Amino acid sequence: MSQENEHVECLIIGSGPAGYTAAIYAARADLKPIMYTGMQAGGQLTQTTDVENFPGYPQGIMGPEMMEDFRKQAERFGTDIRFGYVSSVDFSSAPHKVVVDEIKTITADTVIIATGATAKWLGLPSEQQYNGFGVSACAVCDGFFFKGQDVAIVGAGDTAAEEATYLAKLCNKVHLLVRRDEFRASKAMVARVLATPNIEVHYNTETQEILGNGKNVTAVKVINNKSNITSEIPVEGFFVAIGHKPNTDIFKGQLEMDETGYLLTKPGSTLTNIEGVFACGDVQDMYYRQAVTAAGSGCMAALDAERYLAAKEHPVEA
Ligand code: NDP
């Protein structure tokens, strides 16, 4: 059978914890979901090392291995998982149209969006080299590995302020690297940072390089952009907290989003402003951004899709 212009009940876009959990629930509810993985099958967790905070893995698990478990569980119930990226969508009328790899059009009664968000990085080669070996974009995920040690964190927004205070509880010393002479974060968050004795704020400070011994991070080389003086701060961990970009470019003009591009959902649900289109995981969550919260909202999206289809099939008389 040709796969051109096929129609599905439930199409899932994205393959992180939200997408796979939606797939498990949708498949078990017999919605026969098809999932397009996107270019990074498995999502952000495939770029991490140890995951110790996902319930059910008492000894922890490597991120890629955990996503492999998610995939197998989704497949076990019949999810049709396909490698490919969604290049455009048309949600202007039902059924919704989704174009895959720019050539193939699929129509879908329900679409579950789980395209996630991408952490912004400084763009230094050393940052890539030590990613997962001392460099991290998530203090809540990885702070524990630096218990009692010295770390640096770059950023000056609410995330950096929150993560610095989180790290300060675990670590010996936290160096907060702020590129301007002031924070962007809210006053309350800044006050909390400044009141934490083991956080040292370095203003007007930019990261030049993350230094290491080939295996682990050992220091960060910084420059003061006022005095042009460079220095090295010995640290074992380096956290980047300069923001995330939700992966929503293809939904612009189709779905309601906030000014930074996060999809808006009806509070307490995964419903977007378009009937039959649901959003879950980091693509609609700038606050929690955890695998377990993404998975929870993936479950909600599948239940919302199932109930939407059931209501369409058996409308309740007014
Ligand atoms: P933001 O975009 O608010 O802040 C990013 C920060 O990173 C800015 O201070 C920016 O500096 C800095 N930055 C960007 N690029 C670089 C770079 N190359 N080198 C050094 N620093 C850099 O992102 P957040 O993730 O902090 O917050 C996102 C949203 O989520 C915000 O609306 C925030 O309020 C919200 N949030 C709320 C929380 C809460 O209320 N509990 C917790 C966490 C987030 P500069 O200021 O110089 O531009």
Side-chain angles (χ1 to χ4, degrees), residues 120-122 154-162 177-180 182-186 189 205-207 241-244 259-260 262 286-287 289:
K120 291 182 190 163
W121 296 96
L122 297 171
V154 57
D158 282 328
T159 302
E162 198 168 69
L177 312 179
V178 175
R179 68 177 172 183
R180 290 186 292 138
E182 61 176 359
F183 279 86
R184 179 182 295 273
S186 59
M189 298 281 232
T205 299
E206 291 177 37
T207 307
I242 61 172
H244 284 73
E259 65 284 356
T260 51
Y262 283 89
M286 69 160 69
Y287 291 109
R289 295 195 292 251

Side-chain angles (χ1 to χ4, degrees), residues 126-294:
S126 51
E127 185 183 43
Q128 272 192 8
Q129 184 189 350
Y130 290 107
N131 191 356
F133 299 92
V135 173
S136 165
C138 179
V140 176
C141 316
D142 298 325
F144 183 80
F145 300 117
F146 302 95
K147 222 172 172 179
Q149 300 177 353
D150 289 2
V151 299
I153 176 164
V154 57
D158 282 328
T159 302
E162 198 168 69
E163 296 200 342
T165 42
Y166 178 85
L167 289 169
K169 290 194 195 104
L170 298 167
C171 303
N172 177 54
K173 173 99 191 236
V174 178
H175 297 274
L176 179 52
L177 312 179
V178 175
R179 68 177 172 183
R180 290 186 292 138
D181 58 2
E182 61 176 359
F183 279 86
R184 179 182 295 273
S186 59
K187 281 203 174 95
M189 298 281 232
V190 176
R192 210 174 298 163
V193 166
L194 299 179
T196 307
N198 62 336
I199 298 179
E200 184 179 344
V201 182
H202 302 254
Y203 291 102
N204 301 309
T205 299
E206 291 177 37
T207 307
Q208 282 195 320
E209 211 59 71
I210 297 149
L211 307 173
N213 56 15
K215 277 187 176 169
N216 303 301
V217 170
T218 54
V220 56
K221 186 175 172 197
V222 296
I223 182 163
N224 183 300
N225 55 28
K226 286 269 186 284
S227 64
N228 276 338
I229 294 173
T230 58
S231 56
E232 285 182 18
I233 307 171
V235 289
E236 273 119 339
F238 183 82
F239 290 85
V240 182
I242 61 172
H244 284 73
K245 184 185 181 308
N247 300 319
T248 53
D249 286 352
I250 53 169
F251 308 115
K252 282 199 176 119
Q254 306 262 344
L255 294 175
E256 279 177 11
M257 39 184 91
D258 71 9
E259 65 284 356
T260 51
Y262 283 89
L263 296 184
L264 295 177
T265 50
K266 197 174 149 208
S269 81
T270 63
L271 275 63
T272 67
N273 60 308
I274 300 286
E275 267 195 24
V277 179
F278 307 90
C280 53
D282 287 9
V283 75
Q284 51 84 59
D285 170 22
M286 69 160 69
Y287 291 109
Y288 299 106
R289 295 195 292 251
Q290 298 302 299
V292 69
T293 51

Side-chain angles (χ1 to χ4, degrees), residues 70-84:
F70 270 68
R71 185 184 63 74
K72 284 184 195 151
Q73 196 171 350
E75 267 179 344
R76 179 178 156 214
F77 299 109
T79 308
D80 182 350
I81 299 173
R82 301 173 184 176
F83 182 75

